[in-house]
C-alpha cells in the first residue's frame, strides 16, 4: 500500500514536472505556474509569499467561426527571458520607472481539426502578473471572431471588493464595498441612473477591481494596453468565487474581430500585503509599448480653470437660446434667436477667466458651450449635432485667441461628440486644424449619450479603435487629449503621452448631480487610476451648490486631491469668485505642482485613507496630500522623505476640529511649522476631510519664532 502511494506521488510529480512550467518574480515573492490539464486546457495559478492568490484557473478563448482556443492543446515550446531596464516618462509621478520582470512564453499547438498555434506570454514583476494571448501569423488561423474569452481568476475566498457594476457604456458609478458573496444582492442598488448604461449580469463588475483578503492581501485585477480589442469586464461565479473575463460585445453581439498576427491586451493581477504598493505600482505602464511620439516637447502638464462648473451646477447653460426645441447645424439661424441670458461661453465671461488664469498663474482656460448645437445635443440619437468649428454669435474665436495670447494663457478646446462617433471622425481633421489656428493645444472630448452607430457600446472594439484613432490623429497635430466618457485607461499614455487625461469614472461633476460617497476619493486611486490619470476636476470651495446639491467633501479634502488624485492635468474647478473668498486656501492650488520626480505613498487603505508626498519636477519642492474616508481619523506620518540636514517650513492646510463634509465643510486651519526629515506629524482628518502641505526650504533665521514639529 505504502509502495503504491509512493509510486503514485512519484508519477504525479513526474507529470507535474513535465507539464507544469514555473517562473518566479525577480524578488522571488511571486510564483506563477502554467499547466495543461488532461484535456489540453491551459491553466495558471499564482502565489505571493507562498500564499495562493489565484487558484488554478482556466485560460483561452472560444471563437464564433474557428472553434475552441481553450482546449486540445499540447505544449510545443517554452521560452524564458529576464528584462531589467528603466525609462523616463514624459510626465508622471516619478522621474524614472524600472521595468523588471521574468517572462515565460508558452507556445501551444492544436492539431485537430487543423494545425494551429497560440502563445500565452506571462510576465512576472515584483508587483504582480501580466499575461496575454498571442496569435502568430499562420496558415490555419488568419481571421477569427471571438465568442467569449474564457480567462478565469479563481479567488481563494470571499474577499472584500471595492466595485462598480459591470456596464458596457458607463463607469460613472459610486463604489460599493462588500464581500464578493454580497455583490449579487447589492447590484440593483449600485446601478444608479446614467444617460447611457447597459449592465449585463447581477455579478458583473468592472476593472480595475480592487480587493482585500481576510488575511490582509491586496489584489487588483485590470488590463493593460487595450488596443484593437473590447474592454474586459469580470463576471463572478459567486458559488465558487471565480471571476471570468466578460468582453464587451459590439452591435451584433460579437466580442472582437482578430486578424493574426495579433495579441490581446494584458490581463493584470497586482498584489501586495501593503496597500501602498498597489498605488505605486507601474506595472500597467510597463506592459505598454514605449512612446511612439518622437518629439514630445509639446506635451505639457497643465493646471487650468474653465467656463464649466457654472454649467454643471445649473447656474448657466451650454446652449445659447431656449427658443428652439430642436436645431440643425447650417439651417438654424442663431442670429435670429433670443439669447437665454445665461449662456456661459460668452467672449466677456471667457476673458474674465483668462484674466483670472493670468493673475493666478494658471496655464490654460477651458471653454464649453462655445459652439452651435447644444440646444438638443443628446437623447435623440441624432447623427449630426456638432461640427466643432462654428461658434455661437456671442463667442468671438479670434478675439478670445488674441486676448489669451496677450495674457500668456493657453486655451483648451471642448469637443462634445454627443457620442455621434461617425460624425466626429468626419470632422476630426478640420476640427484639429481649427484648434491649431486658434491657439488651442489641448482638447477635452466627451461621449455623452448612446453611441452612434446605433447599437455600439462605449467599450466595444469598434469604439476602442475610435478613441485610439482620435488620440493618434491628435498626436499628428500635436494636440493633447483629455477624453471624458471614453474607455478607462490601461496605460496607453506610455505609448501616446498626449493622452494627458481621461474621465472614465465618477468625477466631481457628480457632486452636483446628488453627490458622491465621501470616501470615493480613497477608492479611485486603487481602481480607476491604476490605468492612468483622471481629470477629476477638484478644487471646489463652495459645497452648497446653485442647484441644491451638496459636495460631500471638506475644503481641505479638496486641496489634498491635487496630490492624491495624480494627474498631469489638474483643474481648479470652482468659480473665480469662490476662490476670491478664500485667498489663503487658494494659495495652495496656485502653488501645487502637476509633474513630479518622486512620489512616496505614506499611508493607504482603500475606502479609508491615502497620504502621499511628491517632489516637484524642475523646482524640487515637496508637497503632501492626505484624504480620509467616511469617518474622522488621525493621520500619523514621518517626514523622512525630506532631505537630511535641511530645515523646511511646512504650511499645513487642514480640517478644523469641528469640520465635517456635510455640516461644516469650509472649516479649515492654516498653520506653519518647522520640520526636518526627523519630524513626525499626527494630524486630525474630519469625516470626508483631508489635509495638504507645501514645504519650502528655509534658512535657520527664517525658521525663528515658528513652532518645530
Ligand atoms: C460630461 C463631462 O464629464 C462634463 O465634464 C462635460 O461638461 C459634459 N459632459 C458636457 O460635455
Ligand atoms: Ca462625465
Amino acid at each position: 500500500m505504502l509502495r503504491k502511494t509512493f509510486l503514485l506521488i512519484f508519477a504525479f510529480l513526474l507529470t507535474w514536472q513535465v507539464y507544469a512550467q514555473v517562473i518566479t518574480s525577480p524578488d522571488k515573492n511571486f510564483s506563477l505556474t502554467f499547466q495543461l490539464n488532461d484535456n489540453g486546457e491551459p491553466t495558471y495559478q499564482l502565489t505571493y509569499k507562498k500564499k495562493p492568490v489565484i487558484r488554478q484557473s482556466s485560460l483561452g478563448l472560444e471563437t464564433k467561426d474557428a472553434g475552441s482556443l481553450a482546449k486540445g492543446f499540447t505544449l510545443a515550446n517554452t521560452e524564458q527571458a529576464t528584462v531589467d531596464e528603466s525609462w523616463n516618462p514624459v510626465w508622471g509621478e516619478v522621474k524614472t520607472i524600472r521595468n523588471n520582470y521574468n517572462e515565460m512564453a508558452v507556445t501551444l499547438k492544436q492539431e485537430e481539426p487543423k494545425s494551429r498555434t497560440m502563445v500565452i506570454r506571462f510576465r512576472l514583476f515584483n508587483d504582480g502578473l501580466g499575461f496575454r494571448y498571442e496569435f502568430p501569423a499562420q496558415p490555419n488561423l488568419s481571421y477569427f471572431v471571438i465568442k467569449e474569452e474564457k480567462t478565469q481568476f479563481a479567488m481563494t475566498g470571499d474577499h472584500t471588493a471595492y466595485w462598480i457594476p459591470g456596464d458596457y457604456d458607463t463607469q460613472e458609478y459610486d463604489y460599493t464595498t462588500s464581500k464578493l458573496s454580497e455583490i449579487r444582492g447589492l447590484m440593483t442598488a449600485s446601478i444608479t441612473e446614467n444617460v447611457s448604461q447597459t449592465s449585463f449580469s447581477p455579478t458583473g463588475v468592472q476593472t480595475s477591481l480592487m480587493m482585500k483578503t481576510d488575511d490582509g492581501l491586496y489584489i487588483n485585477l485590470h488590463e493593460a494596453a487595450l488596443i484593437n480589442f473590447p474592454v474586459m469586464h469580470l463576471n463572478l461565479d459567486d458559488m465558487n468565487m471565480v471571476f471570468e473575463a466578460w468582453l464587451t460585445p459590439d452591435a451584433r453581439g460579437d466580442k472582437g474581430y482578430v486578424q493574426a498576427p495579433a495579441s490581446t491586451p494584458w490581463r493584470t493581477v497586482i498584489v501586495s500585503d501593503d496597500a501602498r504598493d498597489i498605488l505605486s505600482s507601474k506595472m500597467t505602464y510597463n506592459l505598454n509599448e514605449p512612446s511612439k511620439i518622437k518629439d514630445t516637447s509639446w506635451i505639457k502638464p497643465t493646471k487650468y480653470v474653465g467656463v464649466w462648473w457654472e454649467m454643471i451646477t445649473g447656474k448657466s447653460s451650454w446652449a445659447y437660446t431656449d427658443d428652439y426645441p430642436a436645431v440643425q447645424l447650417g439651417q438654424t439661424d442663431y442670429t435670429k434667436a433670443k439669447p437665454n441670458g445665461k449662456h456661459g461661453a460668452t467672449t466677456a465671461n471667457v476673458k474674465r477667466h483668462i484674466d483670472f488664469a493670468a493673475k493666478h498663474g494658471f496655464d490654460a482656460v477651458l471653454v464649453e458651450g462655445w459652439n452651435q448645437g447644444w440646444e438638443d445635443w443628446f437623447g435623440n440619437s441624432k447623427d449630426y449635432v456638432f461640427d466643432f468649428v462654428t461658434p455661437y454669435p456671442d463667442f468671438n474665436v479670434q478675439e478670445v485667441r488674441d486676448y489669451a495670447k496677450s495674457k500668456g494663457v493657453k486655451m483648451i478646446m471642448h469637443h462634445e461628440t454627443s457620442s455621434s462617433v461617425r460624425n466626429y471622425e468626419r470632422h476630426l481633421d478640420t476640427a484639429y486644424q481649427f484648434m491649431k489656428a486658434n491657439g488651442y493645444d489641448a482638447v477635452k472630448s466627451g461621449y455623452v449619450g448612446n453611441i452612434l452607430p446605433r447599437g455600439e457600446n462605449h467599450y466595444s472594439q469598434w469604439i476602442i479603435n475610435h478613441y485610439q484613432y482620435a488620440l493618434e490623429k491628435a498626436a499628428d497635430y500635436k494636440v493633447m487629449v483629455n477624453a471624458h466618457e471614453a474607455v478607462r485607461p490601461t496605460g496607453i499614455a506610455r505609448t501616446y503621452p498626449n493622452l494627458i487625461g481621461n474621465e472614465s469614472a465618477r468625477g466631481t461633476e457628480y457632486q452636483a448631480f446628488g453627490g458622491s460617497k465621501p470616501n470615493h476619493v480613497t477608492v479611485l486611486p486603487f481602481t480607476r487610476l491604476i490605468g492612468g490619470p483622471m481629470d477629476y476636476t477638484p478644487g471646489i470651495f463652495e459645497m452648497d451648490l446653485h442647484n441644491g446639491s451638496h459636495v460631500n467633501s471638506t475644503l481641505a479634502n479638496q486641496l489634498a486631491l491635487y496630490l492624491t488624485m495624480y494627474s498631469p492635468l489638474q483643474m481648479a474647478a470652482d468659480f473665480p469668485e469662490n476662490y476670491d473668498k478664500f485667498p489663503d486656501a487658494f494659495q495652495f492650488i496656485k502653488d501645487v505642482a502637476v509633474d513630479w520626480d518622486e512620489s512616496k505613498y505614506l499611508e493607504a487603505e482603500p475606502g479609508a485613507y491615502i497620504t502621499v508626498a511628491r517632489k516637484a519636477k524642475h523646482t524640487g519642492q515637496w508637497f503632501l496630500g492626505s484624504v480620509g474616508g467616511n469617518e474622522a481619523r488621525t493621520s500619523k506620518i514621518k517626514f523622512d522623505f525630506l532631505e537630511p540636514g535641511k530645515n523646511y517650513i511646512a504650511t499645513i492646510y487642514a480640517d478644523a476640529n469641528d469640520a465635517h463634509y456635510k455640516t461644516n465643510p469650509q472649516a479649515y486651519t492654516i498653520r506653519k511649522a518647522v520640520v526636518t526629515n526627523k519630524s513626525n506629524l499626527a494630524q486630525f482628518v474630519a469625516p470626508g476631510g483631508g489635509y495638504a502641505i507645501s514645504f519650502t526650504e528655509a534658512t535657520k533665521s527664517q525658521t525663528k519664532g515658528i513652532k518645530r514639529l
Side-chain angles (χ1 to χ4, degrees), residues 308 312 318 368 374 414 416 444 448 484-485 503 509:
W308 176 71
I312 292 288
W318 285 275
E368 295 198 5
W374 285 90
H414 185 227
E416 174 54 64
K444 170 181 173 181
V448 170
H484 278 223
E485 294 90 27
E503 183 192 40
E509 63 182 4

Side-chain angles (χ1 to χ4, degrees), residues 548-580:
S549 194
H550 178 83
V551 179
N552 290 325
S553 158
T554 68
L555 192 150
N557 175 281
Q558 291 291 312
L559 299 181
L561 294 174
Y562 289 89
L563 280 304
T564 59
M565 295 287 291
Y566 163 70
S567 176
L569 179 74
Q570 290 284 17
M571 184 177 203
D574 211 338
F575 308 149
E577 51 272 31
N578 288 340
Y579 291 133
D580 288 343

